Amino acid sequence: MPRGVSANERGYNRGRGLSIVVPLHNEAASLARLHEQLADVAKALAAKHSLACEVVYVDDGSKDNTLAIARQLTAQALDVQVISLSRNFGKEAALLAGLDHARLGAVLFMDGDGQHPTALIDSLVGHWLDGGYDVVYTAKAHRANESVTRRILVKGFYVLVNWGARTKIPEDAGDFRLLSPRAADALRGLPERNRFFKGLSSWIGFRQIRIDYQPDQRAEGRTSWNFRSLVGLSIDGLTAFSVAPLRIATLLGIAIAFVAFIYGAQIVYETLVYGEKVPGYPSLFVGVMVLGGVQLIMLGVLGEYIAKILYEIKGRPVYFVAEHAIKLASEADRSGDTRTAAE
Ligand code: UDP
Ligand code: MG
């Protein structure tokens, strides 16, 4: 196994149940409240669909006491797994760690900062169990509260990444999503290391449905994304999912060559017919600058793809687990007795 032992090989039961995967990076302030809410959701799901639930907290190298708080959480209405990664690997890696350790079949991903309303879980589960959907993803209903620049950049990203693609990544889809057992297995089976969850979970196919909602404000703390890391994620997503930048290079090359050809023909014509002298250096200079610039940009684009190839062939694990603990809720009423198994 390239990514270590899969949950399947650990002999876990992937029966009818729901694993809720929550990546945590410095979420000490909101964790306890989230856990209470999830326990309520689990009770409701057990009553309504007789669905067993677990939550998989993945501590992604937090600097605050997120891990200490996570260790204390009790497994009352749902099983609790706490996985601590050996350092901060980033959200996509944390999601994969959670997916690998999820034991109960269907997998729900949600953020630990309170922006993904737990109240929506019931409807996501309904679409899976009653509607028969495999991928229930949520999308921002609108981006009215975001700056114009950000909206233009986001739009541009989706145009590029979906350009000529057979499976389009839905615009504005977030990481708050539910995967049926077979969709989760499909996602687990993908070999690549460069994980772009939004893209991959639409790429796998099956029956998908979009739910619009308005994310809440962050309950506590600050987002860990800044402009630079968002640009990084976009470049990763683009190069993982699309060859559009390479095609643009080709098209741009053709366009520039075409313009140059027309311009050259015009000069020859004017020289022959009117005997005009060829205009001097400024035009030459501009031409050289434009070509040089375009070539440098396209070399950079090529470099991005080559870096991706290097990253994939190195074959390093996406994350390392430093610590893993499971607390099981008792079967009787899924409350009380907590057994602890440390790895
Ligand atoms: N997160 C993580 N590792 C990171 C950064 C973030 O696991 O390196 C988690 C974070 O704790 C939260 C989720 O990913 O649960 C989303 O992060 P954030 O709220 O910063 O992103 P935003 O909501 O602004 O997209
Ligand atoms: Mg957030």
Side-chain angles (χ1 to χ4, degrees), residues 111 113 115 218:
D111 286 359
D113 58 2
Q115 286 192 288
R218 228 172 189 286

Side-chain angles (χ1 to χ4, degrees), residues 4-229:
V5 189
S6 80
N8 263 336
E9 287 171 19
R10 291 192 185 112
Y12 288 153
N13 154 40
R14 284 242 166 87
R16 182 181 155 98
L18 178 69
S19 296
I20 302 172
V21 168
V22 186
L24 299 169
H25 181 66
N26 299 340
E27 303 291 1
S30 42
L31 184 52
R33 214 182 73 194
L34 174 72
H35 190 65
E36 274 170 31
Q37 291 175 346
L38 287 180
D40 291 342
V41 169
K43 280 178 208 151
L45 289 180
K48 191 169 167 190
H49 300 283
S50 53
L51 198 67
C53 283
E54 72 168 350
V55 56
V56 184
Y57 291 114
V58 184
D59 172 46
D60 183 21
S62 296
K63 296 263 185 298
D64 62 2
N65 54 347
T66 300
L67 180 59
I69 295 176
R71 283 195 197 116
Q72 306 295 322
L73 297 173
T74 52
Q76 293 222 311
L78 74 182
D79 300 342
V80 179
Q81 291 198 55
V82 177
I83 295 157
S84 162
L85 303 186
S86 61
R87 64 171 168 83
N88 179 239
F89 282 91
K91 181 178 176 183
E92 302 281 331
L95 291 177
L96 182 64
L99 178 66
D100 284 343
H101 287 80
R103 306 169 305 151
L104 297 185
V107 179
L108 175 91
F109 296 100
M110 69 183 295
D111 286 359
D113 58 2
Q115 286 192 288
H116 294 165
T118 47
L120 211 61
I121 296 180
D122 181 58
S123 116
L124 299 188
V125 169
H127 281 96
W128 161 47
L129 287 178
D130 305 331
Y133 286 96
D134 291 285
V135 179
V136 189
Y137 63 92
T138 61
K140 289 186 188 169
H142 63 83
R143 288 179 176 267
N145 49 356
E146 293 178 6
S147 72
V148 179
T149 346
R150 192 178 159 127
R151 273 188 271 168
I152 291 175
L153 289 177
V154 168
K155 187 87 198 162
F157 169 77
Y158 281 105
V159 167
L160 261 184
V161 82
N162 285 333
W163 191 34
R166 195 182 303 260
T167 46
K168 310 264 185 238
I169 300 182
E171 271 186 47
D172 304 333
D175 284 323
F176 186 22
R177 64 180 65 220
L178 186 147
L179 302 176
S180 72
R182 63 177 181 177
D185 272 338
L187 206 57
R188 265 187 211 103
L190 297 178
E192 63 244 70
R193 260 145 263 279
N194 181 10
R195 294 267 156 177
F196 183 59
F197 259 88
K198 288 176 214 198
L200 291 179
S201 53
S202 83
W203 182 88
I204 54 171
F206 300 109
R207 296 188 66 208
Q208 311 223 348
I209 186 170
R210 167 184 174 131
I211 311 288
D212 283 312
Y213 82 111
Q214 196 48 38
D216 296 336
Q217 290 295 325
R218 228 172 189 286
E220 307 280 344
R222 299 184 21 226
T223 173
S224 357
W225 298 104
N226 53 30
F227 186 71
R228 238 183 78 196
S229 54

Side-chain angles (χ1 to χ4, degrees), residues 235-312:
I235 292 180
D236 277 349
L238 260 184
T239 47
F241 263 87
S242 132
V243 289
L246 296 176
R247 287 211 191 118
I248 289 177
T250 315
L251 292 181
L252 203 60
I254 293 173
I256 290 176
F258 183 72
V259 171
F261 177 77
I262 301 283
Y263 186 47
Q266 186 199 352
I267 291 172
V268 170
Y269 176 78
E270 284 174 357
T271 314
L272 289 182
V273 176
Y274 307 108
E276 275 186 19
K277 286 215 173 73
V278 177
Y281 289 109
S283 53
L284 203 64
F285 192 68
V286 169
V288 170
M289 293 279 279
V290 168
L291 271 185
V294 168
Q295 284 181 0
L296 279 183
I297 292 172
M298 293 316 163
L299 272 182
V301 170
L302 273 184
E304 281 291 336
Y305 283 93
I306 295 173
K308 287 278 126 57
I309 299 172
L310 181 66
Y311 178 65
E312 293 290 340

